[in-house]
Each structure stands twice: as structure tokens, then as C-alpha cells.
Amino acid sequence: MTDSKLITPFERVPLRSYAERAYLDYAMYVVLDRALPHVGDGLKPVQRRIIYAMSELGLSAAAKHKKSARTVGDVIGKFHPHGDSACYEAMVLMAQPFSYRYPLVDGQGNFGSPDDPKSFAAMRYTESRLTAYARTLLAELGQGTVDWVPNFDGTLKEPKLLPARLPNLLLNGGQGIAVGMATDIPPHNLREVVSACIRLLEKKTASVAELCEHIQGPDFPTGGEIVTPREEILRLYESGHGSIRQRAVWEREGEEIIVTALPHQVSPAKVLEQIAGQMQAKKLPLVADLRDESDHEHPTRLVIVPRSNRVDVQALMDHLFATTDLEKSIRVNLNVIGNDGRPGVRNLKELLSEWLDFRRATVTRRLQFRLDQVVDRLHVLDGLLIAFLNIDEVIHIIRTEDEPKPVLMARFDLTGTQAEAILELKLRHLARLEEMKIRGEKDELEAERQRLEDILASPKKLTRLIRDELLEDAEKYGDERRSRLVERQAAQALKETDLVAAEPVTVVLSEQGWVRAAKGHEIKPEELNYRSGDEFLAAARGRSNQLACFIDSSGRSYSISAHELPSARSLGEPLTGRFSPPAGASFRSLAIGAADERVLVASDAGYGFVTRLESLHSRQKAGKQLLSLPAGSDVLPLAPIADAEEGVLVVASNEGYLLAFYLSELPELARGKGNKLINIPAKARKAGEKVAGAIAIAKGQDCLVWAGQRYLRLSWSDTENYWGERAQRGRKLPRGFQKVSRLTLAE
């Protein structure tokens, strides 16, 4: 019977320890084997396996395209045991010229578009091969340059890294989200990066600022403008993280605005949708039409048609930059796996230094591998020459001996390799010319061995070789910068009032608080139609891009853009639908104009003050308290002020007392009760006397003193008869005007 103590069907582990170990194992797998690129070849494992599998299939840039499904099948069957859709998507990304600065895969078929990068066709429909640039990753693969590791099932070998001849990490960049960390590396220009590498080769102590003399900034495949200030770009490369602001490129073509380049990974369709959304919401009346005229000849051509030639195009584009993806902030986080196998954020110098160390080690291994091949070949050639010099004896030994190999080794002092090479010689190679070829090959190989040994023995020569190869590849694969670097001020969105055409409007308010706006200033508000039981209360003339301000019987003020008001062709809409006045309060008056224009705010208790219209502005539905009212008093109509310095304020009570004084005697306030305008004795107040109206007139203006349906016209000079100081009682009006109802300006 088996001893039960020897059977251990499971291991007891504390849940805390198990969960911690499992999470850390998973995190390290995601970081090292999935999400982050390596500084050496700039690739993630799936990308590296795709490139290697395509090279094994013979899909070079000179080969015919092959079905993408064949490539994906090889990748997931031999090296990458994951989903085929994820693998195919990674391959498509490397083929998109709007995603990769230097694409690694040459796709044939639908590989997506800038509008929707994931709109690519299924892998059974598309074909692919490697690009010429991909050769920089594969050219030295079979030259002993990298380590090989078993694949997932141990049946094949795959390269741990690819021997990149260029710093692909910076050239194509990359994005990835790991566990607890992420990477966002923007693409760069090949010539600039190579120039910086050479600077660092020649001067190891070069600072990030010196390297940035060569690398001006990222270079995105879709072009666009980089508007980040130079100082911020420098700080980004010094710290390894930050952000880049990229802006679309536009130009004028007649009256139209043509957008010719967009920020990286921005969809043209989304930009048009954002602009159209503002137009539909009536928040962008400066734009009349939108069109997408992009085609093969013009990959990006978005047409924006301004409403008129009076539109400030620069201000309009600044608004669009601030409110749409025409300007985009791109995060940068230079987090990569280093040569030591550890992930970390590195600055520009550290990235280039590590890659140059990787490149130096790769070139050294390549040269050593070649040197070993040359030495082995020379060794064989020495044996062959011995054989040619003693050809008759060699033939005799081969013909007469059962085991010629040891005899040859003993007779001519040969190694096993040399003897094996002699035995494998074909008869046709015994010709006299063959000996001359061997001697010529030996001389060439001797010269190559001497050159290789000199380079390996001299760090300076090795550095020069790396430099020359970088320059050669830069000349072969390099191109001009696509993303222009232009320092510009941050884009500012236009205010809502700035977006509206400044057309003349007349805002009309009814007794029951219904409001509407009519185009132009010629309309007569009293002649409009009103709801049953309602009638005209007040009107004000202004512009459609100005704010209409209202005041209610509690002294609270409210404001709304005039262009948002309903048309005067209708009966309007109630202000209570836009605002939330206190219970029982009703709207008394309105004013419209520029924010710095002045109005008189007063109560029928005889108090008031001058204020600017901006003091009446409020974004809250509940408005804000503007005028503090004494108990039992009401708000007088707002009176616009044309001349605050020399204007005259005319105040009249309902009992026929009228006082005129200079407006300069009344202080300007933002809110409050105000100062006394006219004196109404306490006995008179108890008897019901109150202010019937207060109005400001400038030189050349007349005011009308209304008593029922009759009015008395007072010109500027006529007010001298009622002249006094502020807060006095004033003088009695003529007979027939002892009961004043209101004051108005004469038109």
C-alpha cells in the first residue's frame, strides 16, 4: 500500500502570495513581451515576428505580393500563438503610410484610410510584402549579429531582436499600454536622427540641447505644423515625457479655406463632423459650407467656405483650432525596454546612446562572424594549395588507401577540415586555372582579414564604419521633413458674440414677458401682433452679436445673445423659459448694446445709479441682483446714456415735479441701491408720490413728458427751467401735466 504521506496532490500557498506572484508574472509578461518596444530594433514582439516571418517567406521588396492570410498563418502558427485578428491588425498598422513614418510592410488592397484606420479589408482579400526600408532591420540577420531563442513550442528558433541598422524606435515611434506604464513615442525624420547619432558618435559628451540642434522635433507622416515652442520641445527631450501640439495646415484659395494636412491620427471625417455640429447648433454662422475633396492626388483636401468675404479668416481658423481636432495635443512618453532588459523612461541622449551601444555590439558581432568565416576559408584554402602542389601524390593516396583522410593528414600535416575539403574536390577543379583562382581568393581574403582585424582592434575605425553605414542608409532611405516647426500663439476660441454677424436688430418685450427680435431698426414695435391680453412694454435697438439685458421687478438682471431670440414674425417666447426669476417677479425693461455702454438703473423710490451694460450680464438662469429696492418700490425702465460726461438727467414724479441735473453728479456703480435722484418728502411718499420716470438726454436730444395721451416736449435748453442739484425737489410742471405717467426720448 502506498504511503499517503508521500502523495502531494497540491501545494498550499497563501492567497496573498499567490495573487502577488501571479500579478507580477502577468505584468512582466505584458511589459516585456507585448506592449513596450525594445530600444535596439524599436519593435514589439508581434511586430518583430511578423517582419521575420515575412522574410522567411521570401516576401522582400523585390518579391511578388502574397496573401496576408498566409503571413498571418505563419506568424501565429510558428511564433506568436495569439489571435489572428490582433496579429493582422499589427501588420496593417505597419503598412499604413499615415500611421508609420517609414512603413515596414507594403500592402496591396484596402489597408484602411485616415478617416477610419480600422476599415481595412479582411486578410483573405489583401496582399503584402516587405518594404525596401524593412531591409535595414533584416540585412544582417544571418551574420551572427543577434541571439536566437526557441519559439513557443521549442520546434523553431526565432531572433530575440532584429539587427537594426537605423534607430527604428525613433523613426517610426510606437504606442503601447502595459501594466502600470505606457509608452508614446512620436516618429522622427531619418536624416535628422542619423545626424544626431553621428554627433553623439563624434562627441560622447554632447548634451540633449546639442542633439536637438539636429533633431528639431517629431516628424509625423501626415505632415501638419508643430506649434509647440522650442523651449517646451527641449524640455520634453530632456525629461523623456511631455506633449507636442500639432496643428493642421491651411491656405486660401480664392474665398475658400483649404486644409491640406491634418495632425497625426486625426480623421478628416471627424473634423468635418465637429465643424458641422457647430454649424447645426448655430454656433458657427461664419461658415457657409463644408466639403471633403480628398482623392488620390490630394490625400487631404478639406474645403471650408466662409459666409462672406468680410469674415476674419485667421480668427475663424483660430476658433476651429481651439474647438476641433484641427489642433491636437499629442502625448510623448519615451518609455522603452533598454539593452539591460528593463523598461524605463529615457531622455533623447540616453535613447540614442543605448541604440549606438546596441549598434556597436551588432557591428562587432557581424565583423567577428565574418572574420571567423574568412579565417576558416583561409584555412581550407591553405590545405587546397598543398594538395595542388602535391597533386600526384594526393591522387595516389586517395586511390590506394582505404582510409585516405588520416593518411593525408599525417603526410602533409593537414587538419581534418583541410583533408575533408581535399577529398570533396571535384575532378574539374584540378585544372591549372583553379589553382590560380584559389591563390587570388586567398589574397583577397587575407586583405579582408587584415581589414577586419584592424577595425575590431581600433574603436575609432569601428566608429567610423558605423558612421559611414548610417550616412549610407540616410542617403538611401532618408527624405525631407514633413511636419513644419512653426511657433504660434495658442489658439483662442471666439466668443459666442464674435461668431455672430453684426446685423441690426430690434428686441421687443411685452407686458407678460414675451420676447422676440426683429431684423433692422425700422420696425415699429407697437404695431406688432401680441397674444390676447398682452401688449407692448419695451423695445431696444442693437446688434445681433450683442447681449440683450433684462431687469425684473425684484431688481435682478439677466442676459442672452440677441441672435438666440425668436423672430418677430412669431409671437415670441416667454423669458421664463430662458430664466428663473423669483416668484411673483415680472420683467420690467431691457437694454442692448456693447459691454462698455452705460445705462441708468433706477427705482420709483427716487434712487439710482449709472452702470455699464456688462454689469447686467449674467450666465445664470437665476440672473444676479443688480438693483436693491426699498420696500414697496418698483424698477423704472432702463435708460440708455449717450453722453455720460455732459449729459443731463431728467427725473419726474407722478405729481408733476421735474428736476434736471448733470449726469456727472451721479456716481457709476456696479450694483446696489444707488444715490437719491430727486427729493420726495415723506408726507408726499405716504400720499403716493413716486418717480414716474428718469431719462438721460444729450445735446441735441429732446425728451417727452407724458401725462396720459398728452406730452410736453422739452429740449436741452428747456431743461434749464428745471435745473437744480441732485436730490433736490425740482419744479412743478405747467398746468395739464400735473399727473406724469412716463418719460421717453423724442425720436
Side-chain angles (χ1 to χ4, degrees):
M1 185 175 181
T2 306
D3 188 354
S4 61
K5 292 183 179 180
L6 298 178
I7 299 175
T8 55
F10 56 85
E11 178 185 1
R12 290 184 177 273
V13 179
L15 179 60
R16 180 177 181 276
S17 301
Y18 173 79
E20 181 179 351
R21 186 173 69 243
Y23 180 78
L24 287 175
D25 289 345
Y26 170 73
M28 290 304 296
Y29 163 72
V30 172
V31 169
L32 299 178
D33 289 334
R34 183 180 294 181
L36 299 188
H38 194 280
V39 69
D41 56 12
L43 299 175
K44 301 176 187 178
V46 63
Q47 297 170 327
R48 188 178 301 119
R49 288 162 177 166
I50 290 170
I51 299 300
Y52 175 64
M54 292 182 74
S55 70
E56 288 294 287
L57 285 170
L59 296 178
S60 67
K64 290 180 64 177
H65 291 83
K66 190 170 287 187
K67 283 290 184 182
S68 299
R70 173 69 189 279
T71 300
V72 173
D74 266 33
V75 173
I76 65 177
K78 294 180 178 179
F79 309 111
H80 197 71
H82 295 277
D84 59 340
S85 60
C87 178
Y88 179 52
E89 187 172 333
M91 187 179 81
V92 167
L93 186 69
M94 293 189 290
Q96 292 176 339
F98 49 85
S99 295
Y100 263 45
R101 182 64 177 83
Y102 301 95
L104 298 170
V105 176
D106 177 14
Q108 186 169 275
N110 178 12
F111 274 78
S113 66
D115 273 338
D116 186 3
K118 294 190 177 182
S119 63
F120 47 84
M123 57 186 172
R124 61 183 178 273
Y125 298 122
T126 61
E127 298 178 341
S128 57
R129 65 182 179 186
L130 294 171
T131 61
Y133 171 80
R135 181 171 172 76
T136 63
L137 298 172
L138 298 163
E140 301 173 359
L141 188 59
Q143 301 178 23
T145 51
V146 294
D147 296 328
W148 294 77
V149 295
N151 68 339
F152 63 90
D153 60 1
T155 59
L156 296 169
K157 295 283 187 178
E158 62 176 308
K160 191 175 181 180
L161 295 171
L162 295 183
R165 291 171 58 93
L166 292 169
N168 183 63
L169 177 72
L170 282 175
L171 300 184
N172 276 319
Q175 294 178 326
I177 300 176
V179 178
M181 63 179 67
T183 183
D184 291 279
I185 304 173
H188 292 76
N189 184 268
L190 193 155
R191 291 176 180 172
E192 292 182 4
V193 172
V194 167
S195 180
C197 288
I198 293 173
R199 177 73 173 267
L200 198 56
L201 282 173
E202 296 173 348
K203 182 182 178 183
K204 292 184 178 180
T205 59
S207 64
V208 173
E210 290 175 315
L211 296 177
C212 285
E213 294 176 5
H214 303 272
I215 299 179
Q216 300 295 313
D219 188 22
F220 297 99
T222 52
E225 289 182 349
I226 295 175
V227 296
T228 304
R230 182 68 181 167
E231 298 75 19
E232 289 186 26
I233 295 178
L234 185 58
R235 285 197 298 269
L236 182 155
Y237 285 126
E238 286 176 340
S239 64
H241 57 81
S243 63
I244 291 288
R245 278 192 301 115
Q246 199 185 8
R247 183 177 290 185
V249 176
W250 62 279
E251 59 188 27
R252 292 292 298 273
E253 193 173 287
E255 297 298 327
E256 298 177 338
I257 300 169
I258 310 297
V259 177
T260 57
L262 292 172
H264 188 45
Q265 295 180 335
V266 168
S267 164
K270 184 179 179 182
V271 170
L272 292 179
E273 182 181 343
Q274 290 172 333
I275 300 174
Q278 294 188 39
M279 294 171 64
Q280 290 174 358
K282 297 183 178 180
K283 293 183 177 179
L284 195 61
L286 300 181
V287 176
D289 190 21
L290 289 173
R291 294 195 304 274
D292 186 354
E293 298 182 353
S294 304
D295 53 28
H296 290 292
E297 189 175 346
H298 304 93
T300 301
R301 182 179 170 85
L302 306 183
V303 182
I304 302 172
V305 183
R307 186 162 295 277
S308 71
N309 56 9
R310 297 189 301 274
V311 171
D312 186 341
V313 173
Q314 184 62 57
L316 170 60
M317 291 305 298
D318 282 344
H319 173 78
L320 295 178
F321 288 141
T323 57
T324 70
D325 284 347
L326 286 176
E327 180 174 320
K328 186 178 180 183
S329 183
I330 300 171
R331 186 175 61 178
V332 177
N333 185 24
L334 306 181
N335 186 13
V336 298
I337 299 173
N339 291 327
D340 57 0
R342 297 181 178 180
V345 177
R346 292 157 171 81
N347 63 29
L348 180 62
K349 181 179 179 180
E350 291 168 343
L351 273 181
L352 292 179
S353 297
E354 283 206 44
W355 183 82
L356 286 172
D357 290 342
F358 168 81
R359 181 61 186 159
R360 189 180 295 274
T362 301
V363 173
T364 301
R365 293 180 64 168
R366 186 190 79 201
L367 296 177
Q368 188 62 55
F369 180 80
R370 177 57 184 166
L371 179 60
D372 293 342
Q373 286 183 321
V374 169
V375 170
D376 290 345
R377 182 60 180 166
L378 285 172
H379 181 64
V380 170
L381 291 177
D382 286 339
L384 292 177
L385 282 175
I386 291 174
F388 273 101
L389 292 174
N390 303 275
I391 189 64
D392 294 334
E393 189 175 355
V394 168
I395 292 173
H396 177 73
I397 292 173
I398 293 173
R399 292 186 64 188
T400 58
E401 297 291 337
D402 293 335
E403 294 288 339
K405 183 176 179 179
V407 177
L408 289 173
M409 293 172 61
R411 171 67 183 85
F412 299 109
D413 194 20
L414 301 175
T415 65
T417 302
Q418 290 173 323
E420 193 66 35
I422 293 171
L423 291 172
E424 290 181 357
L425 271 175
K426 295 180 179 179
L427 288 175
R428 65 181 179 184
H429 290 163
L430 299 179
R432 175 67 181 168
L433 289 176
E434 196 66 29
E435 179 184 351
M436 297 174 62
K437 288 182 181 178
I438 291 174
R439 291 185 181 278
E441 182 183 356
K442 183 179 179 182
D443 292 341
E444 291 178 3
L445 291 177
E446 286 286 359
E448 184 179 358
R449 181 178 67 174
Q450 185 63 45
R451 182 179 66 82
L452 292 173
E453 289 176 345
D454 288 347
I455 294 174
L456 288 171
S458 172
K460 287 186 177 180
K461 290 183 178 180
L462 182 61
T463 298
R464 190 179 303 116
L465 175 62
I466 295 172
R467 175 183 179 276
D468 292 342
E469 289 179 349
L470 284 172
L471 288 173
E472 179 186 348
D473 289 336
E475 180 66 27
K476 187 173 183 179
Y477 302 107
D479 55 6
E480 296 298 325
R481 165 173 280 278
R482 297 182 188 175
S483 298
R484 299 183 298 183
L485 289 108
V486 185
E487 290 195 18
R488 301 189 188 277
Q489 294 182 348
Q492 296 291 331
L494 292 172
K495 295 179 182 177
E496 190 173 352
T497 53
D498 295 334
L499 289 168
V500 181
E503 299 174 345
V505 293
T506 302
V507 181
V508 182
L509 178 65
S510 73
E511 288 276 4
Q512 294 183 1
W514 286 62
V515 68
R516 46 189 156 167
K519 291 184 178 180
H521 292 166
E522 297 78 19
I523 188 173
K524 294 183 178 180
E526 299 87 349
E527 298 178 358
L528 294 174
N529 292 325
Y530 293 89
R531 288 160 50 88
S532 177
D534 198 5
E535 60 183 9
F536 168 73
L537 174 65
R541 295 185 176 96
R543 294 276 173 180
S544 56
N545 63 340
Q546 294 174 336
L547 291 178
C549 304
F550 304 88
I551 189 168
D552 66 14
S553 56
S554 69
R556 298 187 72 83
S557 66
Y558 312 82
S559 62
I560 186 175
S561 296
H563 77 275
E564 295 184 30
L565 297 174
S567 170
R569 295 176 182 175
S570 66
L571 296 177
E573 65 178 51
L575 281 175
T576 50
R578 302 276 187 149
F579 309 126
S580 301
S586 57
F587 291 95
R588 287 288 185 260
S589 184
L590 80 156
I592 184 172
D596 59 349
E597 290 185 20
R598 293 173 174 82
V599 292
L600 174 68
V601 182
S603 66
D604 61 8
Y607 293 88
F609 58 90
V610 174
T611 190
R612 297 175 186 268
L613 274 178
E614 62 185 356
S615 300
L616 281 72
H617 295 172
S618 173
R619 295 184 179 180
Q620 306 299 323
K621 286 191 68 175
K624 67 178 182 180
Q625 193 65 43
L626 176 71
L627 178 63
S628 300
L629 295 170
S633 60
D634 201 352
V635 176
L636 292 175
L638 297 171
I641 296 174
D643 188 349
E645 297 297 327
E646 297 185 2
V648 171
L649 183 61
V650 179
V651 187
S653 74
N654 59 352
E655 293 298 328
Y657 287 92
L658 189 140
L659 176 67
F661 58 88
Y662 278 115
L663 271 168
S664 56
E665 296 184 38
L666 194 62
E668 184 174 318
L669 304 175
R671 65 179 66 189
K673 178 181 177 181
N675 293 61
K676 183 178 285 190
L677 305 178
I678 189 171
N679 182 31
I680 300 177
K683 186 176 180 181
R685 281 202 306 273
K686 288 181 180 180
E689 186 176 353
K690 58 184 180 180
V691 174
I695 196 168
I697 62 174
K699 286 185 177 180
Q701 284 185 321
D702 296 348
C703 73
L704 304 180
V705 182
W706 292 84
Q709 297 299 318
R710 301 175 59 194
Y711 64 84
L712 174 66
R713 192 182 194 101
L714 295 178
S715 65
W716 173 278
S717 57
D718 293 336
T719 59
E720 295 180 356
N721 299 324
Y722 303 92
W723 203 262
E725 295 182 356
R726 182 181 61 81
Q728 288 184 345
R729 179 60 168 155
R731 295 183 60 184
K732 200 76 170 174
L733 285 163
R735 186 181 298 274
F737 294 95
Q738 304 293 315
K739 297 295 181 181
V740 178
S741 57
R742 57 196 170 98
L743 298 181
T744 61
L745 283 174
E747 295 185 358

